Amino acid sequence: MKELSVFIDESGDFGVYQNHAPYYIVTLILHNQSKNISESINKLNSAIQNTGFDTNHSIHTGPLIRRESDYFHLELEERRYLFNCLFNFARTTEIQYKTIVVNKKELKHQFDLNARVSKQLSLFINDNMDFFFEFDKVVLYYDNGQTELTKRADNHRLLSALKITRMFLLLYLQNQALEVFLNNYLFFLFC
């Protein structure tokens, strides 16, 4: 039986446009379960343990870059090491992704956001129907604090890959709008 896992995560909120959160982003990571990614997961788990976290730790790229929360005690080089390990995991693991971005500044009404995301998601599914029909089973995972989602290490790491993919897109959009924040700039300056 061919199974596809689809991990969904979002960034932003459904509220009105605000300067600090101008985009609503939905990212999907697609993993064909017949592709073994355990070696990649083990490498990432080792890197996480090397920085003092246990293997259940979920990397959050924003706080990692800004040295917030769980990453406050880490020096810049340690945070870059962890970031680069996550980046290499996302880049080299046999996964696919799709990101939907809505610039909330372009919306006339707050309710237009749901319609815009739904339309783009429907277009993506319709445009890739042949791909989805290759699978006997498609399982959706949504990161909404669900404990079942984070129990499996591969799910946990794929959600991390999803977050770094989304973070790069957000940095690109901020750069295009000249909204690059100093802490983001300094983190990547000498990578």
Side-chain angles (χ1 to χ4, degrees):
M1 175 193 288
K2 282 186 74 176
E3 182 176 318
L4 178 70
S5 293
V6 180
F7 300 86
I8 304 169
D9 195 27
E10 59 193 334
S11 177
D13 60 61
F14 272 83
V16 296
Y17 171 83
Q18 295 178 356
N19 284 337
H20 73 278
Y23 305 103
Y24 185 79
I25 302 172
V26 178
T27 304
L28 293 83
I29 294 286
L30 309 159
H31 173 232
N32 179 344
Q33 290 293 324
S34 67
K35 307 284 184 180
N36 186 347
I37 61 171
S38 59
E39 184 177 330
S40 297
I41 291 170
N42 290 337
K43 284 181 185 178
L44 183 58
N45 283 342
S46 292
I48 290 169
Q49 285 181 315
N50 288 342
T51 54
F53 296 102
D54 67 38
T55 55
N56 290 326
H57 178 73
S58 179
I59 301 170
H60 297 277
T61 53
L64 178 67
I65 291 169
R66 295 185 301 268
R67 196 178 188 187
E68 297 172 350
S69 188
D70 293 338
Y71 312 103
F72 184 76
H73 69 283
L74 296 179
E75 295 299 324
L76 180 61
E77 290 306 313
E78 293 172 302
R79 291 183 293 125
R80 284 183 178 160
Y81 166 76
L82 195 54
F83 180 89
N84 287 331
C85 290
L86 178 58
F87 175 74
N88 286 326
F89 173 80
R91 187 179 57 79
T92 61
T93 303
E94 290 190 65
I95 56 175
Q96 297 169 295
Y97 69 93
K98 169 66 177 170
T99 300
I100 296 168
V101 179
V102 177
N103 184 344
K104 296 192 311 185
K105 200 177 216 179
E106 298 171 354
L107 302 176
K108 292 181 182 176
H109 303 288
Q110 183 178 351
F111 303 106
D112 293 341
L113 179 58
N114 190 17
R116 178 94 53 101
V117 170
S118 297
K119 181 178 181 181
Q120 289 186 33
L121 198 51
S122 293
L123 286 171
F124 169 70
I125 292 169
N126 288 333
D127 290 347
N128 295 283
M129 197 61 77
D130 290 339
F131 169 76
F132 287 109
F133 278 135
E134 292 176 19
F135 298 93
D136 301 308
K137 183 177 181 181
V138 177
V139 180
L140 297 176
Y141 296 95
Y142 178 70
D143 182 17
N144 192 23
Q146 299 174 18
T147 55
E148 291 303 312
L149 181 60
T150 58
K151 283 185 180 177
R152 290 180 43 200
D154 55 343
N155 289 356
H156 204 53
R157 296 301 160 233
L158 289 172
L159 284 171
S160 295
L162 183 151
K163 291 173 190 298
I164 198 168
T165 302
R166 186 186 61 222
M167 186 271 316
F168 272 119
L169 179 62
L170 187 56
L171 285 174
Y172 171 78
L173 293 170
Q174 289 172 344
N175 187 47
Q176 293 297 101
L178 302 175
E179 297 170 350
V180 178
F181 300 103
L182 182 60
N183 54 3
N184 292 345
Y185 178 74
L186 292 174
F187 183 85
F188 291 107
L189 186 60
F190 298 107
C191 274

